[in-house]
Amino acid sequence: MADTQYILPNDIGVSSLNCREAFRLLSPTERLYAHHLSRAAWYGGLAVLLQTSPEAPYIYALLSRLFRAQDPDQLRQHALAEGLTEEEYQAFLVYAAGVYSNMGNYKSFGDTKFVPNLPKDKLGRVILGSKAAQQRPEEVRDLWQTCGDLMFSLEPRLRHLGLGKEGVTTYFSGDCTMEDAKLAQDFLDSQNLSAYNTRLFKVVDQEGKSHYEVRLASVLNTDPALDSELTSKLKRYEFQGNHFQVTRGDYAPILQKVVEHLEKAKAYAANSHQEQMLAQYVESFTQGSIEAHKRGSRFWIQDKGPIVESYIGFIESYRDPFGSRGEFEGFVAMVNKAMSAKFERLVASAEQLLKELPWPLAFEKDKFLTPDFTSLDVLTFAGSGIPAGINIPNYDDLRQTEGFKNVSLGNVLAVAYAAKREKLTFLEEEDKDLYIRWKGPSFDVQVGLHELLGHGSGKLFVQDEKGAFNFDKETVINPETGEQIQSWYRSGETWDSKFSTIASSYEECRAESVGLYLCLNPQVLEIFGFEGADAEDVIYVNWLNMVRAGLLALEFYTPEAANWRQAHMQARFVILRVLLEAGEGLVTVTPTTGSDGRPDARVRLDRSKIRSVGRPALERFLRRLQVLKSTGDVVAGRALYEGYAAVTDAPPECFLTLRDTVLLRKESRKLIVQPNTRLEGSEVQLVEYEASAAGLIRSFCERFPEDGPELEEVLIQLAAADARFWRNQAQEAPPGQA
């Protein structure tokens, strides 16, 4: 059997996303609007398979055909007859549920590959003897032959997502290196093109010259119809001695389905902002235009307090090894009025609270653009995973000048709150009951501060295309050096393009630090309903949760490649290092031996020193993070951040050794079962499923009732068309693993 790091355990937690009451309160028109937006999101989410690994689309198609012909209970009888044990069949169900939940065979949280926890020959017998194979023997056999080996392979390069010899990615062809990614970013910047909706494919000709294709996601391919600002850029270029060609049409048949349902949703929009937003999204996905998506995002920002909230597109860049390309994501959710009222009070206090952040006024936005901040119950979240909160859009120019929205996903948080005492690791016994009681409430506070005042704070110093600055170059002083500002963002440069591989994690660290820093404010705690001893417990558990998360983060560090696989967890480890460095016993991490005789560890936080020791340390660190971000100082920013993110075995913590303990004691991230919406006549029904691996599989089997087989064929064709770009990738091992 595989290393436990690369399997999903049979007893993995599975929870259902409960949105029944919020959906019940929608009007018939709102339900139809939500239904078509959900359909658009689910169709678009299929693109994530093509953004993850070469084999992911084939695995998805194989599983879908298998379970369409026989549901999990029927297939179980066949599997047991083929000689599988109950445990082995459950392992297969968990694997299939994991593929659906992560939209691929790599974990969305950590980017580690997971493989079936049963023998390959046994699974092969089940698949080739299944009803699906009886119905379409050649197709099922071909799918198994195409993806079976890769499904189980743990060749070193295939264990994690990554670029070049560090892992596998389908954002880039298999022979692309970090140098190719940097060159491509320079090219994109020179043409004022965003990387968000692109992939990069490289071919080397017989003379050894590199030819790069920058492919935009769009319905249209070479068709010049519907002329747009993009048409003139779809051509060949010479750039720094290399050939580049900008094309479009990536994921075209999938995006066509997205567009169809966005068009249908327009008929049920509540106002003109929603109509115009959807029209621009249609333009974006049709043409491949990020500028159109930005225009849609402007209308989305202006759509204040909708009953049905949604956002869709190529959004988060966490899984691009270079940090610039967005994974497709789409969500639809409904307002939770009680928690939203608390967030409205937080928004009302935001301008005052921003003044408490530890950087000069010149480093804050000229005007706080009051955002929407709502708590939502998710109906649909399509992509590789579901976050607890969101601050969007991610376009720096919009966030700086036009605003953003904050979203806390209440029913997702409710799933995250659930913690069993016997499964709590790395805490002192006396902390566990307090942790269980206050984890949920403290997380509400942290998410609120993280999204609104973390991601929503801070100014980027920019020189525009006309040479004008958005700050006073003569009078603004860098508080770290005492000198005038020496660096800034030029026209076309963004936070992601400039800080690239550390951008996401650095920004998450800044937002998490703002949350910890401001949760000490009594006004914030009163907004959430906490005073006196309760408020102190919320503060303590919030800080304790962060330092524990910093230790748990070690699971997502790869020693062989000396890199991190998850932006949020790297950020939390950095905060742990900052608080450890503060000294005076504020935080200690002590190796111990568990009751089972195996290595264990305990995290201790001295609550009496949070304000006297922790706050000043966090204040200094947070000020440096913001100053380096504002000024675009990549060299100093990398030195600071990568210094704290380094994982060594130096005493007293010996983090590399502690990593082994973390892997030994780790708990797998829960799988979440989402409902479907079904149109019956003119009414939309909510279809819910049991909280189990089988329930999650059934939800996906019923997700595309009209065109499931057609979609699987589309995915196979799209994957096969680009398969040449990743051939023989498994044979190349990263340094130290050959």
Side-chain angles (χ1 to χ4, degrees), residues 224-275:
L226 301 175
D227 185 55
S228 73
E229 72 270 8
L230 262 183
T231 305
S232 63
K233 299 193 176 185
L234 300 172
K235 61 183 182 182
R236 295 181 183 274
Y237 299 80
E238 285 288 325
F239 182 77
Q240 296 183 9
N242 295 278
H243 292 299
F244 277 84
Q245 182 168 12
V246 178
T247 67
R248 64 182 173 187
D250 218 0
Y251 327 117
I254 292 171
L255 291 178
Q256 178 62 49
K257 297 280 190 180
V258 175
V259 165
E260 288 171 6
H261 279 280
L262 292 178
E263 290 282 12
K264 290 178 179 178
K266 278 166 63 177
Y268 307 104
N271 53 54
S272 62
H273 286 138
Q274 291 180 0
E275 291 173 3

Short mmCIF file of all heavy atoms in Angstrom, two decimals, residues 224-275:
data_model
loop_
_atom_site.label_atom_id
_atom_site.label_comp_id
_atom_site.label_asym_id
_atom_site.label_seq_id
_atom_site.Cartn_x
_atom_site.Cartn_y
_atom_site.Cartn_z
N PRO A 224 -12.46 35.50 -36.09
CA PRO A 224 -12.30 36.92 -35.77
C PRO A 224 -13.62 37.63 -35.48
O PRO A 224 -13.64 38.83 -35.25
CB PRO A 224 -11.65 37.48 -37.05
CG PRO A 224 -12.22 36.63 -38.13
CD PRO A 224 -12.39 35.25 -37.54
N ALA A 225 -14.74 36.89 -35.54
CA ALA A 225 -16.04 37.53 -35.31
C ALA A 225 -16.09 38.15 -33.92
O ALA A 225 -15.30 37.84 -33.04
CB ALA A 225 -17.15 36.49 -35.47
N LEU A 226 -17.05 39.02 -33.74
CA LEU A 226 -17.21 39.73 -32.47
C LEU A 226 -15.90 40.42 -32.09
O LEU A 226 -15.31 40.17 -31.05
CB LEU A 226 -17.66 38.78 -31.35
CG LEU A 226 -18.97 38.04 -31.57
CD1 LEU A 226 -19.21 37.05 -30.44
CD2 LEU A 226 -20.14 39.00 -31.67
N ASP A 227 -15.45 41.28 -32.96
CA ASP A 227 -14.16 41.94 -32.78
C ASP A 227 -14.07 42.58 -31.39
O ASP A 227 -15.01 43.19 -30.91
CB ASP A 227 -14.00 43.02 -33.86
CG ASP A 227 -12.63 43.65 -33.80
OD1 ASP A 227 -11.64 42.91 -33.87
OD2 ASP A 227 -12.56 44.88 -33.66
N SER A 228 -12.94 42.42 -30.76
CA SER A 228 -12.75 42.97 -29.43
C SER A 228 -11.34 43.50 -29.31
O SER A 228 -10.54 43.44 -30.24
CB SER A 228 -12.97 41.88 -28.37
OG SER A 228 -11.88 40.98 -28.38
N GLU A 229 -11.03 44.02 -28.10
CA GLU A 229 -9.69 44.58 -27.88
C GLU A 229 -8.60 43.51 -27.97
O GLU A 229 -7.43 43.80 -28.11
CB GLU A 229 -9.63 45.27 -26.51
CG GLU A 229 -9.62 44.33 -25.31
CD GLU A 229 -11.01 44.01 -24.78
OE1 GLU A 229 -12.00 44.40 -25.43
OE2 GLU A 229 -11.11 43.39 -23.71
N LEU A 230 -9.00 42.24 -27.92
CA LEU A 230 -8.02 41.15 -27.96
C LEU A 230 -7.57 40.78 -29.37
O LEU A 230 -6.48 40.26 -29.56
CB LEU A 230 -8.63 39.90 -27.32
CG LEU A 230 -8.28 39.61 -25.87
CD1 LEU A 230 -8.92 38.30 -25.46
CD2 LEU A 230 -6.78 39.54 -25.67
N THR A 231 -8.43 41.03 -30.36
CA THR A 231 -8.18 40.50 -31.70
C THR A 231 -6.80 40.87 -32.22
O THR A 231 -6.09 40.04 -32.80
CB THR A 231 -9.27 41.00 -32.67
OG1 THR A 231 -10.54 40.65 -32.14
CG2 THR A 231 -9.10 40.36 -34.04
N SER A 232 -6.38 42.10 -31.99
CA SER A 232 -5.09 42.56 -32.53
C SER A 232 -3.90 41.89 -31.85
O SER A 232 -2.78 41.94 -32.36
CB SER A 232 -4.98 44.08 -32.36
OG SER A 232 -4.98 44.42 -30.98
N LYS A 233 -4.14 41.25 -30.71
CA LYS A 233 -3.03 40.62 -29.98
C LYS A 233 -2.87 39.14 -30.30
O LYS A 233 -1.93 38.50 -29.83
CB LYS A 233 -3.23 40.82 -28.48
CG LYS A 233 -3.25 42.30 -28.11
CD LYS A 233 -3.12 42.55 -26.63
CE LYS A 233 -3.05 44.05 -26.36
NZ LYS A 233 -2.79 44.39 -24.97
N LEU A 234 -3.79 38.59 -31.08
CA LEU A 234 -3.73 37.17 -31.43
C LEU A 234 -2.82 37.00 -32.64
O LEU A 234 -3.28 36.92 -33.78
CB LEU A 234 -5.14 36.64 -31.71
CG LEU A 234 -6.14 36.75 -30.55
CD1 LEU A 234 -7.54 36.37 -31.02
CD2 LEU A 234 -5.72 35.87 -29.39
N LYS A 235 -1.52 36.96 -32.40
CA LYS A 235 -0.55 36.90 -33.49
C LYS A 235 0.79 36.39 -32.97
O LYS A 235 0.94 36.08 -31.79
CB LYS A 235 -0.38 38.29 -34.11
CG LYS A 235 0.15 39.34 -33.13
CD LYS A 235 0.22 40.72 -33.76
CE LYS A 235 0.78 41.75 -32.79
NZ LYS A 235 0.81 43.11 -33.37
N ARG A 236 1.76 36.32 -33.90
CA ARG A 236 3.12 35.90 -33.55
C ARG A 236 3.96 37.11 -33.13
O ARG A 236 3.77 38.21 -33.63
CB ARG A 236 3.80 35.22 -34.75
CG ARG A 236 3.15 33.92 -35.16
CD ARG A 236 3.89 33.31 -36.35
NE ARG A 236 3.24 32.09 -36.79
CZ ARG A 236 3.47 30.88 -36.28
NH1 ARG A 236 4.35 30.76 -35.30
NH2 ARG A 236 2.84 29.82 -36.73
N TYR A 237 4.89 36.86 -32.21
CA TYR A 237 5.78 37.91 -31.72
C TYR A 237 7.20 37.39 -31.65
O TYR A 237 7.43 36.18 -31.44
CB TYR A 237 5.38 38.35 -30.31
CG TYR A 237 4.00 38.91 -30.14
CD1 TYR A 237 2.88 38.08 -30.04
CD2 TYR A 237 3.80 40.29 -30.03
CE1 TYR A 237 1.61 38.60 -29.86
CE2 TYR A 237 2.53 40.82 -29.84
CZ TYR A 237 1.44 39.97 -29.76
OH TYR A 237 0.18 40.49 -29.57
N GLU A 238 8.16 38.29 -31.79
CA GLU A 238 9.55 38.02 -31.43
C GLU A 238 9.81 38.77 -30.13
O GLU A 238 9.57 39.99 -30.05
CB GLU A 238 10.50 38.50 -32.52
CG GLU A 238 10.54 37.63 -33.76
CD GLU A 238 11.25 36.29 -33.51
OE1 GLU A 238 12.22 36.27 -32.73
OE2 GLU A 238 10.80 35.28 -34.07
N PHE A 239 10.29 38.06 -29.11
CA PHE A 239 10.52 38.70 -27.81
C PHE A 239 11.79 38.14 -27.21
O PHE A 239 11.90 36.94 -26.95
CB PHE A 239 9.33 38.46 -26.87
CG PHE A 239 9.47 39.13 -25.53
CD1 PHE A 239 9.25 40.49 -25.39
CD2 PHE A 239 9.85 38.38 -24.41
CE1 PHE A 239 9.38 41.10 -24.15
CE2 PHE A 239 9.98 38.99 -23.18
CZ PHE A 239 9.75 40.36 -23.04
N GLN A 240 12.77 39.00 -27.02
CA GLN A 240 14.06 38.62 -26.43
C GLN A 240 14.65 37.38 -27.11
O GLN A 240 15.15 36.46 -26.45
CB GLN A 240 13.91 38.39 -24.92
CG GLN A 240 13.51 39.66 -24.17
CD GLN A 240 13.43 39.47 -22.66
OE1 GLN A 240 13.84 38.42 -22.13
NE2 GLN A 240 12.92 40.46 -21.95
N GLY A 241 14.55 37.36 -28.44
CA GLY A 241 15.14 36.27 -29.21
C GLY A 241 14.33 35.00 -29.23
O GLY A 241 14.83 33.95 -29.67
N ASN A 242 13.08 35.05 -28.76
CA ASN A 242 12.22 33.87 -28.73
C ASN A 242 10.93 34.14 -29.50
O ASN A 242 10.50 35.29 -29.64
CB ASN A 242 11.87 33.50 -27.28
CG ASN A 242 13.08 33.07 -26.48
OD1 ASN A 242 13.51 31.94 -26.55
ND2 ASN A 242 13.64 34.01 -25.72
N HIS A 243 10.33 33.05 -29.99
CA HIS A 243 9.05 33.15 -30.68
C HIS A 243 7.91 32.98 -29.68
O HIS A 243 7.90 32.01 -28.92
CB HIS A 243 8.92 32.06 -31.75
CG HIS A 243 9.85 32.22 -32.90
ND1 HIS A 243 9.84 33.31 -33.72
CD2 HIS A 243 10.83 31.41 -33.38
CE1 HIS A 243 10.77 33.18 -34.65
NE2 HIS A 243 11.39 32.04 -34.47
N PHE A 244 6.97 33.91 -29.69
CA PHE A 244 5.73 33.77 -28.91
C PHE A 244 4.55 33.88 -29.86
O PHE A 244 4.58 34.65 -30.82
CB PHE A 244 5.62 34.88 -27.85
CG PHE A 244 6.37 34.59 -26.58
CD1 PHE A 244 7.72 34.87 -26.48
CD2 PHE A 244 5.72 34.03 -25.49
CE1 PHE A 244 8.42 34.60 -25.32
CE2 PHE A 244 6.41 33.75 -24.32
CZ PHE A 244 7.76 34.03 -24.23
N GLN A 245 3.52 33.10 -29.59
CA GLN A 245 2.27 33.23 -30.32
C GLN A 245 1.13 33.23 -29.32
O GLN A 245 1.04 32.35 -28.45
CB GLN A 245 2.08 32.09 -31.32
CG GLN A 245 0.79 32.26 -32.13
CD GLN A 245 0.72 31.33 -33.31
OE1 GLN A 245 1.51 30.40 -33.43
NE2 GLN A 245 -0.22 31.57 -34.21
N VAL A 246 0.26 34.23 -29.43
CA VAL A 246 -0.92 34.32 -28.56
C VAL A 246 -2.10 33.72 -29.31
O VAL A 246 -2.43 34.14 -30.42
CB VAL A 246 -1.21 35.77 -28.16
CG1 VAL A 246 -2.47 35.84 -27.29
CG2 VAL A 246 -0.03 36.38 -27.42
N THR A 247 -2.69 32.70 -28.73
CA THR A 247 -3.86 32.03 -29.31
C THR A 247 -4.99 32.03 -28.28
O THR A 247 -4.81 32.49 -27.15
CB THR A 247 -3.54 30.58 -29.71
OG1 THR A 247 -3.29 29.81 -28.52
CG2 THR A 247 -2.34 30.51 -30.64
N ARG A 248 -6.12 31.52 -28.68
CA ARG A 248 -7.21 31.36 -27.72
C ARG A 248 -7.99 30.09 -28.04
O ARG A 248 -7.66 29.36 -28.96
CB ARG A 248 -8.12 32.59 -27.72
CG ARG A 248 -8.86 32.85 -29.00
CD ARG A 248 -9.70 34.12 -28.91
NE ARG A 248 -10.29 34.48 -30.18
CZ ARG A 248 -10.97 35.60 -30.40
NH1 ARG A 248 -11.13 36.48 -29.42
NH2 ARG A 248 -11.48 35.86 -31.59
N GLY A 249 -9.03 29.82 -27.25
CA GLY A 249 -9.83 28.63 -27.47
C GLY A 249 -9.62 27.54 -26.44
O GLY A 249 -10.17 26.45 -26.57
N ASP A 250 -8.81 27.82 -25.39
CA ASP A 250 -8.63 26.81 -24.34
C ASP A 250 -9.97 26.56 -23.64
O ASP A 250 -10.71 27.52 -23.32
CB ASP A 250 -7.58 27.28 -23.33
CG ASP A 250 -6.70 26.15 -22.83
OD1 ASP A 250 -6.89 25.00 -23.28
OD2 ASP A 250 -5.79 26.43 -22.03
N TYR A 251 -10.28 25.30 -23.39
CA TYR A 251 -11.51 24.85 -22.70
C TYR A 251 -12.78 25.30 -23.45
O TYR A 251 -13.86 25.43 -22.85
CB TYR A 251 -11.60 25.37 -21.26
CG TYR A 251 -10.31 25.51 -20.51
CD1 TYR A 251 -9.87 26.76 -20.06
CD2 TYR A 251 -9.50 24.41 -20.25
CE1 TYR A 251 -8.69 26.91 -19.37
CE2 TYR A 251 -8.31 24.54 -19.56
CZ TYR A 251 -7.90 25.80 -19.13
OH TYR A 251 -6.72 25.94 -18.44
N ALA A 252 -12.70 25.54 -24.77
CA ALA A 252 -13.80 26.16 -25.52
C ALA A 252 -15.15 25.49 -25.31
O ALA A 252 -16.14 26.17 -25.01
CB ALA A 252 -13.44 26.23 -27.01
N PRO A 253 -15.28 24.15 -25.49
CA PRO A 253 -16.61 23.56 -25.34
C PRO A 253 -17.17 23.67 -23.93
O PRO A 253 -18.40 23.75 -23.74
CB PRO A 253 -16.41 22.09 -25.73
CG PRO A 253 -14.99 21.92 -26.09
CD PRO A 253 -14.26 23.20 -25.83
N ILE A 254 -16.29 23.66 -22.94
CA ILE A 254 -16.73 23.80 -21.54
C ILE A 254 -17.23 25.23 -21.30
O ILE A 254 -18.29 25.45 -20.71
CB ILE A 254 -15.57 23.45 -20.59
CG1 ILE A 254 -15.26 21.96 -20.68
CG2 ILE A 254 -15.90 23.86 -19.15
CD1 ILE A 254 -14.00 21.55 -19.94
N LEU A 255 -16.46 26.21 -21.77
CA LEU A 255 -16.87 27.60 -21.58
C LEU A 255 -18.13 27.93 -22.36
O LEU A 255 -18.88 28.83 -21.97
CB LEU A 255 -15.71 28.53 -21.96
CG LEU A 255 -14.50 28.47 -21.02
CD1 LEU A 255 -13.40 29.39 -21.51
CD2 LEU A 255 -14.88 28.83 -19.59
N GLN A 256 -18.38 27.22 -23.46
CA GLN A 256 -19.62 27.42 -24.19
C GLN A 256 -20.82 27.10 -23.29
O GLN A 256 -21.83 27.82 -23.29
CB GLN A 256 -19.65 26.54 -25.44
CG GLN A 256 -20.94 26.63 -26.26
CD GLN A 256 -21.19 28.03 -26.80
OE1 GLN A 256 -20.28 28.65 -27.39
NE2 GLN A 256 -22.38 28.56 -26.58
N LYS A 257 -20.72 26.04 -22.51
CA LYS A 257 -21.79 25.67 -21.58
C LYS A 257 -21.94 26.74 -20.49
O LYS A 257 -23.07 27.07 -20.06
CB LYS A 257 -21.48 24.33 -20.93
CG LYS A 257 -21.42 23.16 -21.91
CD LYS A 257 -22.81 22.68 -22.25
CE LYS A 257 -22.77 21.38 -23.03
NZ LYS A 257 -24.12 20.89 -23.37
N VAL A 258 -20.82 27.27 -20.03
CA VAL A 258 -20.87 28.33 -19.02
C VAL A 258 -21.63 29.53 -19.56
O VAL A 258 -22.54 30.08 -18.91
CB VAL A 258 -19.43 28.75 -18.62
CG1 VAL A 258 -19.47 29.96 -17.67
CG2 VAL A 258 -18.69 27.59 -17.98
N VAL A 259 -21.28 29.93 -20.77
CA VAL A 259 -21.90 31.09 -21.39
C VAL A 259 -23.40 30.89 -21.57
O VAL A 259 -24.20 31.80 -21.32
CB VAL A 259 -21.21 31.39 -22.75
CG1 VAL A 259 -22.05 32.33 -23.60
CG2 VAL A 259 -19.82 31.97 -22.51
N GLU A 260 -23.81 29.70 -22.00
CA GLU A 260 -25.23 29.42 -22.20
C GLU A 260 -26.04 29.65 -20.93
O GLU A 260 -27.13 30.24 -20.96
CB GLU A 260 -25.42 27.98 -22.69
CG GLU A 260 -24.96 27.75 -24.12
CD GLU A 260 -24.95 26.28 -24.50
OE1 GLU A 260 -25.42 25.44 -23.67
OE2 GLU A 260 -24.45 25.94 -25.58
N HIS A 261 -25.50 29.21 -19.80
CA HIS A 261 -26.27 29.37 -18.55
C HIS A 261 -26.16 30.78 -17.97
O HIS A 261 -27.09 31.24 -17.30
CB HIS A 261 -25.84 28.30 -17.54
CG HIS A 261 -26.51 26.99 -17.81
ND1 HIS A 261 -27.80 26.71 -17.43
CD2 HIS A 261 -26.07 25.89 -18.48
CE1 HIS A 261 -28.13 25.49 -17.83
NE2 HIS A 261 -27.11 24.98 -18.46
N LEU A 262 -25.06 31.47 -18.24
CA LEU A 262 -25.00 32.88 -17.83
C LEU A 262 -26.03 33.69 -18.60
O LEU A 262 -26.67 34.60 -18.05
CB LEU A 262 -23.59 33.44 -18.07
CG LEU A 262 -22.48 32.87 -17.18
CD1 LEU A 262 -21.14 33.48 -17.56
CD2 LEU A 262 -22.77 33.11 -15.70
N GLU A 263 -26.20 33.37 -19.88
CA GLU A 263 -27.24 34.04 -20.68
C GLU A 263 -28.63 33.76 -20.11
O GLU A 263 -29.48 34.65 -20.03
CB GLU A 263 -27.16 33.58 -22.14
CG GLU A 263 -25.93 34.07 -22.90
CD GLU A 263 -26.05 35.52 -23.35
OE1 GLU A 263 -26.97 36.23 -22.89
OE2 GLU A 263 -25.19 35.95 -24.14
N LYS A 264 -28.87 32.52 -19.71
CA LYS A 264 -30.18 32.18 -19.13
C LYS A 264 -30.39 32.88 -17.79
O LYS A 264 -31.50 33.30 -17.47
CB LYS A 264 -30.29 30.66 -18.97
CG LYS A 264 -30.41 29.91 -20.29
CD LYS A 264 -30.47 28.41 -20.07
CE LYS A 264 -30.60 27.67 -21.40
NZ LYS A 264 -30.60 26.20 -21.23
N ALA A 265 -29.32 33.00 -17.01
CA ALA A 265 -29.45 33.66 -15.70
C ALA A 265 -29.84 35.13 -15.85
O ALA A 265 -30.53 35.69 -14.98
CB ALA A 265 -28.13 33.54 -14.94
N LYS A 266 -29.40 35.77 -16.93
CA LYS A 266 -29.71 37.20 -17.14
C LYS A 266 -31.21 37.47 -17.09
O LYS A 266 -31.64 38.53 -16.63
CB LYS A 266 -29.14 37.67 -18.48
CG LYS A 266 -27.66 38.02 -18.43
CD LYS A 266 -27.06 38.16 -19.82
CE LYS A 266 -27.67 39.27 -20.62
NZ LYS A 266 -26.99 39.41 -21.95
N ALA A 267 -32.01 36.51 -17.54
CA ALA A 267 -33.47 36.70 -17.57
C ALA A 267 -34.04 36.83 -16.16
O ALA A 267 -35.17 37.33 -15.99
CB ALA A 267 -34.13 35.55 -18.31
N TYR A 268 -33.31 36.38 -15.16
CA TYR A 268 -33.81 36.38 -13.78
C TYR A 268 -33.00 37.31 -12.87
O TYR A 268 -33.14 37.26 -11.65
CB TYR A 268 -33.80 34.95 -13.23
CG TYR A 268 -34.54 33.99 -14.13
CD1 TYR A 268 -33.85 33.09 -14.94
CD2 TYR A 268 -35.93 34.00 -14.21
CE1 TYR A 268 -34.52 32.22 -15.79
CE2 TYR A 268 -36.62 33.14 -15.05
CZ TYR A 268 -35.90 32.25 -15.84
OH TYR A 268 -36.58 31.40 -16.68
N ALA A 269 -32.17 38.15 -13.48
CA ALA A 269 -31.35 39.08 -12.69
C ALA A 269 -32.25 40.06 -11.93
O ALA A 269 -33.32 40.46 -12.40
CB ALA A 269 -30.40 39.84 -13.61
N ALA A 270 -31.78 40.46 -10.76
CA ALA A 270 -32.59 41.33 -9.89
C ALA A 270 -32.47 42.80 -10.26
O ALA A 270 -33.31 43.61 -9.88
CB ALA A 270 -32.17 41.13 -8.43
N ASN A 271 -31.41 43.17 -11.01
CA ASN A 271 -31.21 44.59 -11.33
C ASN A 271 -30.26 44.71 -12.52
O ASN A 271 -29.71 43.71 -13.01
CB ASN A 271 -30.64 45.34 -10.11
CG ASN A 271 -29.40 44.67 -9.55
OD1 ASN A 271 -28.43 44.42 -10.27
ND2 ASN A 271 -29.42 44.36 -8.25
N SER A 272 -30.05 45.94 -12.95
CA SER A 272 -29.21 46.17 -14.14
C SER A 272 -27.75 45.86 -13.87
O SER A 272 -27.02 45.48 -14.80
CB SER A 272 -29.35 47.62 -14.60
OG SER A 272 -28.90 48.52 -13.59
N HIS A 273 -27.30 46.03 -12.63
CA HIS A 273 -25.91 45.68 -12.32
C HIS A 273 -25.65 44.20 -12.60
O HIS A 273 -24.62 43.83 -13.17
CB HIS A 273 -25.59 46.00 -10.85
CG HIS A 273 -25.44 47.45 -10.56
ND1 HIS A 273 -25.97 48.06 -9.45
CD2 HIS A 273 -24.83 48.44 -11.25
CE1 HIS A 273 -25.70 49.35 -9.47
NE2 HIS A 273 -24.99 49.60 -10.55
N GLN A 274 -26.57 43.36 -12.17
CA GLN A 274 -26.42 41.93 -12.41
C GLN A 274 -26.47 41.62 -13.91
O GLN A 274 -25.70 40.81 -14.42
CB GLN A 274 -27.48 41.14 -11.66
CG GLN A 274 -27.29 41.15 -10.15
CD GLN A 274 -28.36 40.37 -9.40
OE1 GLN A 274 -29.27 39.80 -10.00
NE2 GLN A 274 -28.26 40.35 -8.07
N GLU A 275 -27.38 42.26 -14.63
CA GLU A 275 -27.48 42.03 -16.07
C GLU A 275 -26.18 42.41 -16.78
O GLU A 275 -25.68 41.66 -17.63
CB GLU A 275 -28.64 42.85 -16.65
CG GLU A 275 -30.02 42.36 -16.21
CD GLU A 275 -31.12 43.30 -16.68
OE1 GLU A 275 -30.80 44.29 -17.38
OE2 GLU A 275 -32.30 43.05 -16.36
#
